[in-house]
Amino acid sequence: MNTASTTGAGSLSSPPSVADAGGTIYTCPMHPEVRQDHPGNCPKCGMTLEPILPELGDDDNPELRDFQRRFWWTLPLTAIVFVLAMFGHRLQWMDMAVQSWVELVIATPIVLWAGWPFFVRGWQSVVNHSPNMWTLIGLGTGAAFVYSVVATVAPQVFPASFVSMGRVAVYFEAAAVIISLTLLGQMLELKARSQTSAAIKSLLGLAPKTARRIRDDGGEEDVPLSDVHIDDKLRIRPGEKVPVDGVVVEGSSAVDESMLTGEPLPVTKRVGDKVIGATLNTSGALVMRSERVGASTVLAQIVQMVAQAQRSRAPMQRMADLVAGYFVMTVVAIAALTFLAWGLFGPEPSWVFGLINAVAVLIIACPCALGLATPMSIMVATGLGATRGVLFRDAAAIENLRKIDTLIIDKTGTLTEGRPAFDRAVPAPGFEADEVLRLAASLDQGSEHPLAETIVRAARERGMTLDKPENFESGSGIGVRGQVAGRQLALGNTTLMQQIGVSVAPLVSQAEALRAEGASVMHLAVDGQLAGLLAVSDPIKPSTPEALATLKAAGLRIVMATGDGLTTAKAIGARLGIDEVHGEVKPADKLLLVERLQKEGRIVAMAGDGINDAPALAKADVGVAMGTGTDVAMNSAQLTLVKGDLRGIAIARALSEATVANMKQNLLFALLYNTLGIPVAAGVLYPLTGWLLSPMIAALAMSFSSVSVIGNALRLRRNGKLAS
């Protein structure tokens, strides 16, 4: 039997948190390895750093406010420059040379103030040898602006071919409009990205703000949740949320745990039962003793796991990052070739055409959509999974789960409840079933064995009066002996019966039948005579048959591996329709089973809840831990099912398939966009159609591509199969 924690909802072990060091830690959505203790920009891609754990109610984004200020203050100036450039020569408001100076004065604050953050990021990309979208934006707008400044201040340095409509052509409007459109795109992107943290904020919002603490003098006070300590006694009134994780010490009530486990029915909690922080007390009053507070609670650890998974990088993302790095350098080379090709072979003014088309190439090819393609899908998927009781440890688990074709399942605590339940008492001739249970329970009051606790609890639930045992002795692994009401009792296995000379033959067929059903059987002897049998079983979880049927229908090969006896294992396997059963396996045997199946070319998932499952969970392609199990198991797994329900694997697999499909859509869109956009921007279609792509239109298209990728990722939240 596994050494799993089986009372209540168990505990989740939090992955190491960088926030433990104190203060808020900021990281990059595209490069989670970048971390620092203050806001800023990623040195690799220039993207705004975000807090790993968003604060509840903190919807203020300083960068968004900064971009909004820069955008709205300069938008009128951009409009003026645009109108002058488009219509000034037709309306002849002023001399064209003078107009160039007017455009310079108006465009300068747009480019140098509103666009300053973009140039800083572009310079950082060069210094850090990490070419990215800001490299292209900085080069494109900088080239257009510097060229126009020189053309205005010293037009005589340009050849006559650069003169158009009485002046050397300037492109202040292109630089200004690109800056404004990029600011607009960043504003839309920042607003869209804020939605990806909604799942974490909703989890944080589950926790109550205060707790009602019972003082040592019996008085009560409401205190902030941060002031609750371990071993504090807390009162939970009807309709209130459980403040922290702990154990009930007074009262009984039905507790709604659906917000954390997804289980729709309230769970009855009595003295000794575990309760989870943020769950809702529906009816009765409870007094609990706190056991886990702060970052140790189940809710806090779920938040940590979700945050870690959202910031991890999928294998597909690593490929996209590699492509993006080479892509930027390729784009710069294409822009240079565009400039030279138009300048040397294009129509007059050829070099002006060359400059404008090169700028359009640099702008439209920004790889921001490529970089956002997978992180946005991962962030949305992990948040959605958390609300369904499915916690992915990292992005690789999301990407790999859809590939599994074999599922190894532990029995105890995974297929079954993981805690023994009294089945029945079978009396020998001359005894009654109730008397067999009462005597066995009276003797077992002196034992700390889990099976003994089960028998004692069953007798008390039936209202039986138990006698106090005397001269109690516990045999190592074979049973117990003692006196009850002057009668000599022995309770244990057949080995104990043989030692005291008691024949089990009268009930041997009944014992074998019970074992074939998966029950553990104990014999009771009274004064040297067989009095009866007691059967204790580990009930199959109600959700298990449905879960296995769903997984089989999906084409998975189901294998059961358990440390229990082979007879019991086969009995459970037969009831559940599992053909491949391995019994009496040690932790090393489970590990070898995983390795053997992997050598056969199988993609293996392992589901378990105990310490003995940890090696196999770690070795499997995807380890699946029950949230009702041990911390060690969950530390070793890539996927945790909060409520310990195997149906969560089917949910997680559907989420994996939808997320990977979403990432592929995003990557395809980003690559297709650049594949089509770059040739158009370079002017490849000009000889056939006369079409040229303005840098302003390129900037608008670039911003639209990023927002489209984010919007597509957010579609996962509206997936009918996942959101229900």
Side-chain angles (χ1 to χ4, degrees), residues 247-434:
V247 61
V248 177
V249 295
E250 288 182 28
S252 66
S253 179
V255 177
D256 181 359
E257 298 181 337
S258 60
M259 63 282 295
L260 287 182
T261 66
E263 184 61 48
L265 298 177
V267 181
T268 301
K269 300 291 183 180
R270 300 184 179 88
V271 174
D273 288 341
K274 302 283 187 180
V275 287
I276 310 173
T279 54
L280 180 66
N281 181 28
T282 61
S283 54
L286 297 173
V287 175
M288 64 170 288
R289 185 181 72 253
S290 59
E291 293 184 334
R292 291 176 178 243
V293 300
S296 298
T297 64
V298 169
L299 177 62
Q301 293 170 13
I302 288 175
V303 171
Q304 288 278 6
M305 291 181 72
V306 173
Q308 177 174 320
Q310 286 190 342
R311 303 304 179 189
S312 61
R313 298 166 75 190
M316 198 177 294
Q317 170 63 22
R318 290 192 288 271
M319 178 195 70
D321 287 348
L322 183 64
V323 170
Y326 289 108
F327 178 78
V328 171
M329 300 309 297
T330 303
V331 168
V332 172
I334 293 174
L337 289 174
T338 299
F339 177 70
L340 293 173
W342 274 93
L344 295 174
F345 307 109
E348 293 297 333
S350 60
W351 291 104
V352 174
F353 278 126
L355 175 66
I356 299 307
N357 289 332
V359 170
V361 168
L362 291 172
I363 298 303
I364 201 169
C366 288
C368 43
L370 185 64
L372 289 170
T374 64
M376 292 299 104
S377 299
I378 293 297
M379 293 179 75
V380 174
T382 50
L384 180 59
T387 63
R388 302 294 310 278
V390 176
L391 301 180
F392 291 98
R393 183 168 295 279
D394 52 36
I398 296 179
E399 192 167 331
N400 292 333
L401 188 61
R402 67 190 176 92
K403 303 175 185 176
I404 63 169
D405 55 28
T406 303
L407 176 63
I408 303 174
I409 309 179
D410 173 53
K411 180 184 80 69
T412 308
T414 305
L415 294 171
T416 65
E417 296 286 358
R419 54 180 180 269
F422 178 73
D423 189 334
R424 73 191 79 169
V426 180
F431 290 87
E432 297 292 331
D434 285 352

Side-chain angles (χ1 to χ4, degrees), residues 530-589:
L530 183 67
L533 304 177
L534 294 104
V536 175
S537 62
D538 184 4
I540 293 173
K541 291 180 180 179
S543 60
T544 295
E546 178 189 344
L548 293 181
T550 302
L551 294 170
K552 284 182 178 179
L556 268 65
R557 170 184 174 185
I558 308 297
V559 180
M560 185 173 77
T562 176
D564 283 5
L566 188 58
T567 300
T568 301
K570 287 184 175 180
I572 297 295
R575 290 171 61 184
L576 294 173
I578 302 175
D579 298 325
E580 189 171 347
V581 175
H582 300 268
E584 301 177 1
V585 295
K586 299 180 177 62
D589 298 327

Side-chain angles (χ1 to χ4, degrees), residues 18-19 21-26 36-39 50-55:
V18 295
T24 302
I25 300 299
Y26 295 83
Q36 63 187 41
D37 59 2
H38 58 278
E50 299 176 343
I52 289 180
L53 291 179
E55 294 183 7

Side-chain angles (χ1 to χ4, degrees), residues 31 70 129 137 172 315 374 376 470 499 539 589 626 643:
H31 300 91
R70 294 175 189 268
H129 306 290
I137 291 176
F172 290 115
T374 64
M376 292 299 104
E470 299 176 350
Q499 287 184 1
D589 298 327
M626 301 293 111
K643 61 181 179 178

Side-chain angles (χ1 to χ4, degrees), residues 352-540:
V352 174
F353 278 126
L355 175 66
I356 299 307
N357 289 332
V359 170
V361 168
L362 291 172
I363 298 303
I364 201 169
C366 288
C368 43
L370 185 64
L372 289 170
T374 64
M376 292 299 104
S377 299
I378 293 297
M379 293 179 75
V380 174
T382 50
L384 180 59
T387 63
R388 302 294 310 278
V390 176
L391 301 180
F392 291 98
R393 183 168 295 279
D394 52 36
I398 296 179
E399 192 167 331
N400 292 333
L401 188 61
R402 67 190 176 92
K403 303 175 185 176
I404 63 169
D405 55 28
T406 303
L407 176 63
I408 303 174
I409 309 179
D410 173 53
K411 180 184 80 69
T412 308
T414 305
L415 294 171
T416 65
E417 296 286 358
R419 54 180 180 269
F422 178 73
D423 189 334
R424 73 191 79 169
V426 180
F431 290 87
E432 297 292 331
D434 285 352
E435 181 67 6
V436 170
L437 175 58
R438 191 187 72 81
L439 290 173
S442 297
L443 179 62
D444 264 341
Q445 289 179 102
S447 174
E448 296 180 351
H449 195 280
L451 295 183
E453 180 185 346
T454 301
I455 292 173
V456 172
R457 184 172 62 249
R460 287 177 173 162
E461 288 175 351
R462 288 164 174 75
M464 296 180 177
T465 301
L466 305 183
D467 297 319
K468 184 178 180 180
E470 299 176 350
N471 301 323
F472 181 84
E473 298 177 9
S474 178
S476 178
I478 61 173
V480 295
R481 301 168 66 177
Q483 289 183 344
V484 173
R487 306 172 77 177
Q488 192 69 35
L489 304 184
L491 178 66
N493 58 19
T494 54
T495 302
L496 177 61
M497 296 297 106
Q498 291 172 358
Q499 287 184 1
I500 63 176
V502 174
S503 172
V504 298
L507 297 177
V508 66
S509 59
Q510 291 93 325
E512 287 303 316
L514 289 168
R515 291 191 183 100
E517 294 177 3
S520 298
V521 176
M522 291 163 283
H523 301 78
L524 175 68
V526 178
D527 294 330
Q529 179 185 357
L530 183 67
L533 304 177
L534 294 104
V536 175
S537 62
D538 184 4
I540 293 173

Side-chain angles (χ1 to χ4, degrees), residues 99-181:
Q99 181 175 314
S100 295
W101 281 97
V102 173
E103 291 182 28
L104 169 61
V105 172
I106 298 175
T108 297
I110 303 172
V111 176
L112 299 186
W113 178 68
W116 183 251
F118 306 152
F119 292 112
V120 171
R121 295 179 184 185
W123 175 249
Q124 288 176 341
S125 71
V126 175
V127 172
N128 292 299
H129 306 290
S130 179
N132 53 52
M133 62 177 285
W134 303 112
T135 314
L136 303 182
I137 291 176
L139 283 172
T141 56
F145 182 72
V146 171
Y147 157 79
S148 299
V149 170
V150 175
T152 301
V153 175
Q156 66 276 8
V157 303
F158 292 91
S161 62
F162 276 62
V163 177
S164 175
M165 291 177 288
R167 66 170 178 175
V168 175
V170 294
Y171 291 90
F172 290 115
E173 84 286 354
V177 172
I178 288 169
I179 293 294
S180 291
L181 289 174

